[in-house]
Amino acid sequence: MEEPRIGVFVCHCGINIGGVVNVPEVVEYAKTLPNVPWAEGNLYTCSEAGLSSIKDAVKKNGLNRVVVASCTPRTHEPLFRSTCEEAGLNKYLFEMANIREQCSWVHSHEPEEATTKAKDIVRMAVARARWLEPQDEPEVDVTDSAMVIGGGISGLMAAASLATQGFKVHLVEKEPQLGGITRRLGKIYPTLQDSSEIVDPIIKAATSNENIQIYTSATLKDVSGYVGNFKVAFKKGTEDVKLDVGTIVLASGALNYEPPKGSFQYGVLDKVVTQLHLEEMLAQGKLAEPERVLMIQCVGSRTGEVWTYELSDMTQSFAARLLSKILGAKKEEGWPYCSKICCMNAIKNAIRIKELWPKAHVDILFSDLRTYKEYEDFYRKARAMEVKFIRYIREIPPEITEAPDKKLKVAVYDTLAGVETEFLCDLVVLSTPLCPSKEDVMLARMLKVPLGPDGFFMEAHPKLRPVDCQSDGIFIAGTACGPRDIPESIISAKAAAARASILMANKKLKTEALTADVNTDLCIGCGLCEELCPYGAHKIEGGKSKTIAALCRGCGVCGADCPRHAITMRHYSDRQILAQVEAMMAK
Amino acid sequence: MSEIQSIPSAGDTARDESASFDPRILVFTCNWCSYAGADLAGTSRLQYPANARIIRTMCSGRIDPAFVLEALRDGADGVLVTGCHPGDCHYVKGNFRAEKRFNFLKMALKQLGVEEDRVRLAWISAGEGEKFSLLVRDMTNKVRELGPNPFKAPNIKST
């Protein structure tokens, strides 16, 4: 390795650093450190003047490492790295010393201590810089075809979007038919169009596009490889299919939650159904004119919430009932989140019944009604059509019993009127949430992607990286990552397709430089790294570990665990970290 | 902002006369959560004692127990390993591995007679600037009570 020649640039950041830390003193101190032929202070190192000063100093002094002592690398590292590249240095020969967020700003009343600490931080950064090595970001080829998992509305939309951009798409659907849950809906809210008006054109667009190959009744068997070069295997009937694809769009969808038998008499009394069953009954004309239909919201969703209310507001008998319920309450079965679509869905079906049979009564029992955005108008429309909304609380769920004339008797405590009310109805409809399927666990394992606390697939970042997956090259569309309605599913499907197409259009991909590197002379092939790697980036081949660089994300778990210290983490090697540890203590 | 700035910092500046020794605390942070938490303490101007020095790695799972032992040998009076909260790891499960390894390290340190509070593990999210500042404060106070690290190897030369 060439002799390190490190330039240190200490930023005043106006008064942000300079107002607390004695910057000239830190600069003078830096000059005394070994391998530092050049140190200077800048008013703002990130300014045009500061950056050109770095470039000049590199040229004049033959520097081969740069340390900037300023703010956090989380914001400014990319900028200084590109300056290093402009100065002809590999960008990994740059190191940052954080003397603002982690020094001047947190010790603003102690200039002396802050200056001492800033010197320590600079010394540690210089010690690390001494051991920095240039890294390159290897390029891999990207296969320009995609696999879409799931043939629901999101999967179809993503496939169509990718195919029209000229990419070959393989769509895998486990059911014999395309269209997913949307196909089972009779009409959709708030336009009350037939769902076929939405689904059929999309299915037609997908099936008639020659870039899309559709495999229905197919079971996914295995996914291996990495971004740009996935190898997928699935079974269609008796036929085994193996494909190479560059990206994967995960649009496996969600299930409609089925309440356990006996919950609200579901599965016991045949006139207790879910909203999805009601949709099918209405679509197939199987519902005779009812006198009264009663819907219950939040069945199996928003469970485990803490409910607080004043007991004194309630009647004595109510309070007694409440206490007995709470004391004897079993843990509610279901899901903790709000499924978001059930309120609008119930209102839609209520309006449909009212439109078909204006004389029929429709009552909706709710605990909180969430008709967000423009759906507030939809709610008002239902009220204008005399759909009744009655508020109940979770601890006193409506009680459903059989009544004469094939009717159901529903007793509910109406919290707004403060009385217990009874209804005789022909049908009780439970609004159940969308929920993840058990197969998602297998799918997540196969794709090496995480599931969130609710059991849905998790996006890489809820705000900054929607539709991206933790694993590169995999994108999530539709209800696979939580309850969504049709417009939201389509938005995410198009976003996922767009994200996938960026990778495939570029044809080449720069991979992570911060990867593991195995010294095969030291490796004994114990397989610990293979077992621990969250990305499957280590494979034991011929008794030695091999790193698949494109899979490695550089976490360093293998490097810390290797019993033979055979694994070096690029840019975070033991040597580099220990140099910082030693420098911290060496005064 | 004024509210945050009004948090008293007297605890840092006016040190107890009897506390003659200033502990040196090494803090390992992961790039994604706890380093960002430390940054947030800064942007929120949350004052804490100037005893901690931070080393950033990409993941708490990178922390080899040997790094902690090396730091103690070199004379660090306390070592704090921090990472993302369980389930939040940027690398899916690196922090679980860090915890597992850390528990073994603690067993070994206990047998060596290293005090419980000298080496600690904590989860700090990118939003927990206050937790970071309180933790460093607490760690500094506890290590100050314990006194200097007796395990420092003699005649350590700097590199």
Side-chain angles (χ1 to χ4, degrees), chain A residues 72 74 108 120 561 574, chain B residues 31 39 47 62 97 101:
Chain A
T72 171
R74 288 173 55 86
S108 8
D120 285 1
D561 263 306
D574 286 10
Chain B
N31 181 54
D39 276 351
Q47 307 294 304
R62 175 69 185 99
R97 192 62 202 164
R101 247 184 251 135

Side-chain angles (χ1 to χ4, degrees), chain A residues 378-387 389:
Chain A
F378 201 46
Y379 163 67
R380 291 206 182 105
K381 182 179 172 186
R383 294 201 61 142
M385 293 174 88
E386 295 188 344
V387 173
F389 291 87

Side-chain angles (χ1 to χ4, degrees), chain A residues 511-542:
Chain A
T511 58
E512 184 71 68
L514 277 57
T515 51
D517 185 23
V518 182
N519 180 342
T520 43
D521 291 341
L522 292 175
C523 177
I524 51 167
C526 68
L528 188 63
C529 48
E530 187 181 12
E531 193 185 315
L532 291 175
C533 180
Y535 304 100
H538 285 286
K539 283 273 169 306
I540 303 292
E541 278 177 17

Side-chain angles (χ1 to χ4, degrees), chain A residues 72-74 77 98 101-102 105-109 117 120 470 535 555 557 560-561 572 574 582 585-586, chain B residues 9 13 24 31 35-36 39 42 46-48 50 52-54 56 62 64 74 76 90-91 97 101 158-159:
Chain A
T72 171
R74 288 173 55 86
E77 194 173 57
N98 185 342
E101 276 85 349
Q102 295 175 4
W105 277 355
V106 287
H107 312 304
S108 8
H109 311 297
K117 181 169 169 178
D120 285 1
Q470 290 268 11
Y535 304 100
C555 63
V557 165
D561 263 306
Y572 283 94
D574 286 10
E582 284 162 17
M585 255 44 90
Chain B
S9 58
T13 42
R24 284 194 280 178
N31 181 54
Y35 191 87
D39 276 351
L46 298 170
Q47 307 294 304
Y48 56 81
R53 305 287 180 269
I54 292 171
R56 176 174 68 137
R62 175 69 185 99
D64 189 329
D74 288 355
H90 185 81
Y91 301 102
R97 192 62 202 164
R101 247 184 251 135
S158 74
T159 48

